[in-house]
Every structure is written in structure tokens, then in C-alpha cells.
Amino acid sequence: MKINLLVLSFVLTCTINYAQDKEVAKKMAPFEKEMELNLQKWNMPGVGVGIVKNGKLVYVKGFGYRDYAKKLPITQKTLFQIASNTKLFTSTSLGLLVNQGKLEWDKPIKSFVPTIQFFNNDLNNNVTLRDMLSHRTGISRHDMIWYKSDFNRAQLFEKLKYLEPTQPLRQGFLYNNLMYSASGHIINLIEGKTWETFVQENLLNPLEMKSTCFSIENMKKQGDYFVPYNEKRDTEILYQVPYMEDVEGAGPCGSLISNIEDLSHWLGTLMNKGVYNTKQVIPEAVVTATIEPSIAPHNNLLDQGYTEVINPVYGMGRESISYRGHQIVYHGGDLRGIHSQISYMPQENIGVIVFVIGDHSMRYNPITFNIYEHLLGMTITPWSDRGLVNRVASKKQGKEARAKAAVGQIKGTNPSHPLADYLGTFENNMYGISKITQKGDQMEFSLNNLHLPLHHFHYDRFDTTNDEEDGFYTINYQTNPQGEIDRFTISLDEGEAVFTKKADESLSSVETLSKYVGSYKLGNQVNKIILKNKNHLFMEGEPSIELIPYKPNVFKTKEFADFTIEFVIENNTVVSMKAKDGSGEYEIKRVNESK
């Protein structure tokens, strides 16, 4: 018995090492009863709540479990992925560079980072750091570029030039994770150190956020961490889902992992105008800049007839709203199986940290709003009941829609080509590599590290399975003028993307291409084939035309889909090239230049 009491004493010492505010605890007692009921109503695996008052952590409470299977409790030290709450760490880090005069919020970012390239010169000449951090570049998300990919930060930075805007600069709010990834890379370009190192040295260390880390691997070394669970589709069964670990490239927009204890230091510092333990860690001007209104996001709650939230404005990495007459500054974070929110009321000097496990769970906004209502003695808005109505309707609608997945299928059709013609490696400049493979009778679609079974739907359309974690995709194959399958379109993010079939890598080797170099003559006209940039073949002219490897000894051009050039080889030597299009075929003899 003495041993058990000793253990209990040790546990209490480890888990309650903050100064609990009795008044706050009293006000939160009704909320705790409500949350216990909500846990059951929503089938929630776990929720963690922390409250910061006057810059100090005064309340911590876990509901449910950090690991549902092992029934492990949530504590102030439980580590969670904070997802997009990482963004404020990134914008604050850039603010430190602004404060040092190395960057400016409102001058074109290209004046400080010449290597940055956007889709057009209008963006190159005008996009500022504030535009990038406030989601007002006019460029939509394109999250499938980084999701389940191995692209590093420098590679994602290079992809900005492929992202076509869908609306004018500064004319609307379009959330964009890639802009934060690029902004993190800017720190590397300016400082010569990674975003992780800069954040660690300038924010985490001085704020004594000793448990906060950047990877699942390092999280697991610390012992007290969350496990993501979701509700299995069309059931109430909870099952463990994989951690989202492929976020290194997009790290500055969502890779930080932290706990209530560490985040109370961060939140308290923001509430105290950048001061932590009497030291000005973040310049007050930087704290102010990140909250200044830059753009107005759409108010989805008003669309549903709820008027508690009005006047949302986004700064840089955080948003401000009026909630029933009280200002709340907040930001959410969402990854598969885990959701977070960090918020505070500046006038009341109260802050709230919320973690929610489970994509199906009651979300952090309603939980946060109800907490503030309890703390301020307000009437309680029935957010849970409102959400449950939507939850039930959404599950019903989803199940009914999936039951009609074959609607529109034209029965009895076949692919236009043998199945082997649909296989291969396809490439898109933005999204990377997609491979269509076959094992036995089963085709598979892959996009970077995403893999899903693929089956024929009708004609030249193939569909993946509808996976509850990785989604559903339709692939529509197209033929070229030569009658061969050479590309497919697929809906990704906010539009259609075209993936073009890649020729074998060996066809682009210097050794292979060099044998085609030379002069070719038809009548009095001489055509020169030259090699540029080591492994790019061109036909000289005004303008020169790049020859794209297609098949052994056969090349196409970007400009004309129906035009091919085939090099004729006799006795291992190129003797001519045949230019073919719809009008006919011309054989152009190679000139013997040794004479």
C-alpha cells in the first residue's frame, strides 16, 4: 500500500507541476461534465485542454486518452503535432529578420531573394512577404505537391513558378501551405541555416520549450505522446491511423510537435507583447505585425446562419475574430487524426490551448468557444448539438453517395488499347512522378509515395479505390496523333493536372544523344542537330526546336504533337532522319562532315 501511495505521489508531482487557478477550475467544472458527455456523443478518442491566464499556465485537463488502445492519459507534457499552428513560428521567425533589416514585409520579396520565381512577371514584381504569409497571392493550395512526396524544401521552392494564380493578387484569401514552405526556405537562403535551426535557436530555446521537436521520430523518444485515431468510415469503430510524417519539405507550414506546457510559454509570450520571464524574446513590433489585418477570409459560420462569429481578418500566421463581442486571436492546425488550436482574448488576457484526436471528433473551434463562455460567465452556445446534426447528416450523405459511385458508367465498354499501353511512368512539373504498374491482374496508381489499386471504369477511364485515408482519383487517358497512349488527366487539388508519359531515361543520356548530333540536308536546306545543356537535343533555327525523347531513335517536339523525327541507323551509324507529320514523310540525309 505504501508503494502505491508513493507511485501516486510521483505521478501527481510529474503531471501537475503548474500553479492551478482555483477560480478557473471552478468555472471549468461544468465544462468538464459537458466534455465527458461530448466524448461519448462524438465517439472522441481524446481531447487535451490548457488555459493560460496573465501569461501563466493555470489549468490542464485531459479527456479520454492520448493512446486510445492503451488507455494512457493526456497530460500537460503529452506531445501532439500542432500542424498549421507552426505557421506563426515561421512568420515570427521572418519577423526577426525584418526587425534586423534583412527583409521587409511590404517590398517585393524578389528584391531580397532574387532566386524566387513565381508563375509570371506580374507576381515576380509585386508579391511581398506579407502576401505570402497572409494567403493573398491569388494562388490556391496545391497540397498534393507535398503530400506523401519526398520533395525537399528547395525543390518545393522551385515549384512556385508552376503555380498559376486563380485570382488577382490581394483580391481574396486562398490558403496556401507551399507559401509557408517557401518562406521557411527564405530563412535558409538569408541566414545560411535551416528553418528548424533558426526556430530552435531564436524561439524554442529562449522560450524554454524543451520538449518541442520537429519529427515523429524525436517525439517518440520522449515517451509521452499522442497516437492518432479515426472513426472507421460508416461505422463507430475507432482505429489507429498512421502518423503524417512526410512533412519535411513543407515543415515551416506544419511540422512542429509540442505540448500544453511548452505552448503555454509561447502563448504567454505572445500575450505579453513578446516578453518571456522579463526578457524581450520577440520584438513587440513583430508580435503586432503578425496580428495586423491583411485579408478577410470567408465566414463559413455566417453561411450556416450562426452569428456568434463576425469580422474575421487574417494577419500572418494567425486570425482575429469578434466572438459575441470579444476579440479572439487564434489559429487552427489539422493533420490526419490530430487537430489543434491556440488562441487568446487580448482584452481579457486569457488564452486557450486545445488538442483533439480524431478527424470525426468535435472540432476545436466549438470547444474553444465554449471554454471562453464558461470563463467569462456567458450563456453557453450549443455548438456540440449543432455539430452533431451536421455529423449525422454528413455520414449519411457520404454513405449514400458512395453507393452511387457507378452512376454514369457505360457498361460493356473496353479500353481502346491493350492494358500494357496504359502502364508506365508519367510526369507533371508541379506534382512529380506518377507510375501505373501491374502485378498479376491488379493495376496500381502511384503518385510519389501515394499508392492505390486501379481498375477500369469505362472506355479509357480508370478509377482508384475510394480509400478513406488517401481518397479517390479518376484517371482519363488520352492518345496522341500517332494513336498511342501518351498522357492522362487527373483532378488534383483545385483543378485538372496533365501527366505525360516519360520516355526511358536512357534516351536522354549524353552518350545516346551525341550520336544524333550533326548536319542533315534536304535539297539546299541544311538542318543542324546540336546538344545543349549536356543532354538536351535541339534542331537549330529561329527559334531552335527542342527534340523530346519519345522512343528509341524517335523524338517529338513540344510545339507540334503530330510531328516526329526518326533517326535512321545503318551499321550503328546515323545516316538520315525522317521528319513525319500528317502531310507526309521527308527523309533528310546526314552530311558527312569529315570530308
Side-chain angles (χ1 to χ4, degrees):
M1 186 67 176
K2 289 182 180 178
I3 294 176
N4 289 337
L5 287 173
L6 201 61
V7 170
L8 179 60
S9 173
F10 174 75
V11 170
L12 288 173
T13 302
C14 287
T15 59
I16 309 179
N17 58 3
Y18 60 93
Q20 188 176 46
D21 186 298
K22 292 181 180 178
E23 182 184 355
V24 168
K26 183 178 179 180
K27 290 180 177 179
M28 288 293 288
F31 170 82
E32 292 175 6
K33 292 180 181 178
E34 293 164 12
M35 275 306 302
E36 292 295 348
L37 288 174
N38 285 331
L39 224 62
Q40 299 172 33
K41 291 177 181 178
W42 286 83
N43 195 24
M44 299 165 76
V47 175
V49 172
I51 296 175
V52 175
K53 182 179 178 182
N54 298 322
K56 301 296 182 183
L57 184 64
V58 297
Y59 175 93
V60 175
K61 180 70 176 179
F63 303 89
Y65 308 99
R66 65 176 173 88
D67 186 329
Y68 183 79
K70 296 180 180 178
K71 301 298 185 280
L72 299 175
I74 294 170
T75 75
Q76 79 270 17
K77 291 187 178 292
T78 301
L79 289 166
F80 297 90
Q81 291 173 296
I82 72 170
S84 284
N85 276 299
T86 302
K87 287 181 169 65
L88 187 54
F89 286 84
T90 298
S91 60
T92 300
S93 296
L94 288 156
L96 298 180
L97 298 181
V98 170
N99 192 64
Q100 295 167 19
K102 297 176 180 178
L103 290 170
E104 291 189 28
W105 295 122
D106 297 308
K107 282 191 176 179
I109 188 63
K110 198 166 180 63
S111 6
F112 305 96
V113 187
T115 55
I116 198 166
Q117 291 288 335
F118 294 101
F119 185 77
N120 56 38
N121 283 332
D122 183 51
L123 293 176
N124 286 333
N125 295 332
N126 290 287
V127 170
T128 66
L129 189 57
R130 192 186 300 274
D131 295 328
M132 296 174 71
L133 298 175
S134 62
H135 308 293
R136 62 183 197 185
T137 60
I139 300 168
S140 55
R141 295 180 75 117
H142 298 290
D143 282 337
M144 287 300 295
I145 294 176
W146 63 265
Y147 176 71
K148 288 203 170 184
S149 82
D150 294 323
F151 295 128
N152 60 37
R153 213 159 293 152
Q155 290 171 317
L156 292 178
F157 184 80
E158 290 296 318
K159 288 184 180 292
L160 294 183
K161 63 179 175 282
Y162 299 120
L163 308 183
E164 185 174 3
T166 55
Q167 62 185 32
L169 180 67
R170 304 184 195 122
Q171 296 303 302
F173 180 85
L174 289 176
Y175 200 84
N176 193 308
N177 286 307
L178 287 171
M179 290 301 158
Y180 268 82
S181 172
S183 297
H185 188 60
I186 286 171
I187 292 174
N188 193 338
L189 295 174
I190 299 263
E191 291 294 284
K193 59 180 66 173
T194 65
W195 166 82
E196 288 87 349
T197 299
F198 190 90
V199 170
Q200 186 75 52
E201 292 176 353
N202 292 277
L203 296 176
L204 303 186
N205 290 347
L207 295 179
E208 298 182 291
M209 299 176 69
K210 297 177 182 178
S211 299
T212 303
C213 58
F214 299 89
S215 70
I216 296 296
E217 179 184 3
N218 287 331
M219 178 189 80
K220 289 182 176 180
K221 292 176 182 177
Q222 300 188 50
D224 189 346
Y225 57 86
F226 90 106
V227 178
Y229 276 82
N230 280 336
E231 190 176 74
K232 196 162 187 63
R233 190 165 62 194
D234 300 332
T235 76
E236 293 186 350
I237 299 169
L238 294 176
Y239 74 110
Q240 184 176 339
V241 296
Y243 290 102
M244 276 195 67
E245 300 187 60
D246 51 346
V247 294
E248 186 279 328
C253 71
S255 70
L256 269 173
I257 298 168
S258 192
N259 55 31
I260 291 171
E261 186 175 273
D262 278 11
L263 288 172
S264 71
H265 301 179
W266 169 245
L267 183 53
T269 302
L270 296 174
M271 295 166 68
N272 200 26
K273 300 179 180 179
V275 175
Y276 177 74
N277 282 350
T278 72
K279 183 180 178 183
Q280 190 81 47
V281 175
I282 306 168
E284 184 178 347
V286 174
V287 177
T288 301
T290 60
I291 201 174
E292 288 174 349
S294 297
I295 195 78
H298 185 73
N299 189 344
N300 293 316
L301 289 175
L302 274 180
D303 292 343
Q304 301 174 56
Y306 303 138
T307 58
E308 288 84 1
V309 175
I310 60 172
N311 300 333
V313 288
Y314 198 90
M316 291 183 286
R318 52 182 174 161
E319 187 173 342
S320 179
I321 60 168
S322 175
Y323 182 77
R324 298 179 64 181
H326 296 266
Q327 184 188 16
I328 298 179
V329 179
Y330 68 171
H331 205 284
D334 304 278
L335 287 173
R336 183 176 55 220
I338 181 63
H339 308 270
S340 67
Q341 188 171 73
I342 301 171
S343 67
Y344 68 98
M345 285 186 168
Q347 282 69 44
E348 289 77 8
N349 212 10
I350 303 171
V352 175
I353 301 164
V354 174
F355 288 104
V356 180
I357 299 175
D359 296 344
H360 64 285
S361 297
M362 182 180 179
R363 288 303 177 94
Y364 42 68
N365 273 355
I367 294 172
T368 297
F369 294 157
N370 283 161
I371 290 173
Y372 283 122
E373 289 170 338
H374 279 285
L375 292 175
L376 299 180
M378 303 167 71
T379 56
I380 307 304
T381 306
W383 287 113
S384 176
D385 292 342
R386 291 174 177 179
L388 282 170
V389 172
N390 292 335
R391 166 174 153 80
V392 171
S394 179
K395 288 189 74 168
K396 181 175 182 290
Q397 290 165 0
K399 186 175 182 179
E400 290 175 351
R402 286 188 295 275
K404 300 174 182 177
V407 170
Q409 182 181 36
I410 301 174
K411 302 292 185 181
T413 64
N414 296 306
S416 63
H417 289 61
L419 283 182
D421 289 1
Y422 299 87
L423 309 179
T425 300
F426 297 78
E427 185 176 32
N428 176 276
N429 285 331
M430 283 197 296
Y431 292 100
I433 296 294
S434 173
K435 292 184 178 180
I436 311 296
T437 56
Q438 185 172 11
K439 293 181 181 178
D441 294 332
Q442 181 62 64
M443 294 176 70
E444 182 181 85
F445 161 77
S446 73
L447 176 58
N448 298 314
N449 296 319
L450 172 70
H451 302 275
L452 289 170
L454 188 68
H455 61 269
H456 179 248
F457 186 78
H458 61 210
Y459 294 115
D460 284 341
R461 169 180 162 180
F462 290 73
D463 288 356
T464 71
T465 54
N466 190 340
D467 187 87
E468 56 189 296
E469 288 180 20
D470 289 327
F472 166 81
Y473 302 91
T474 288
I475 291 174
N476 291 287
Y477 285 97
Q478 298 173 5
T479 57
N480 59 26
Q482 291 74 37
E484 298 165 324
I485 299 291
D486 76 335
R487 65 190 60 213
F488 65 74
T489 59
I490 181 172
S491 296
L492 293 176
D493 296 318
E494 300 79 31
E496 281 194 342
V498 177
F499 283 74
T500 304
K501 201 167 193 176
K502 285 190 70 177
D504 190 280
E505 292 290 343
S506 65
L507 300 180
S508 297
S509 73
V510 176
E511 182 181 0
T512 299
L513 298 180
S514 294
K515 64 184 180 183
Y516 307 121
V517 172
S519 297
Y520 297 78
K521 189 174 182 181
L522 179 64
N524 294 323
Q525 182 177 342
V526 175
N527 297 278
K528 285 190 175 182
I529 304 297
I530 61 173
L531 205 56
K532 290 184 180 180
N533 304 322
K534 293 185 178 180
N535 64 341
H536 290 267
L537 206 62
F538 283 81
M539 180 184 292
E540 268 194 335
E542 295 181 356
S544 294
I545 298 174
E546 184 174 4
L547 304 185
I548 310 300
Y550 176 45
K551 294 191 292 189
N553 302 320
V554 182
F555 293 76
K556 301 188 78 172
T557 68
K558 294 178 181 177
E559 293 78 8
F560 307 105
D562 64 339
F563 180 71
T564 63
I565 286 182
E566 179 182 358
F567 290 94
V568 179
I569 298 179
E570 296 177 1
N571 300 321
N572 295 321
T573 301
V574 177
V575 296
S576 65
M577 61 180 184
K578 292 180 179 179
K580 304 177 185 178
D581 63 16
S583 66
E585 174 182 298
Y586 302 88
E587 184 166 8
I588 309 169
K589 298 290 185 179
R590 186 172 189 176
V591 178
N592 189 346
E593 296 170 321
S594 61
K595 293 183 180 179

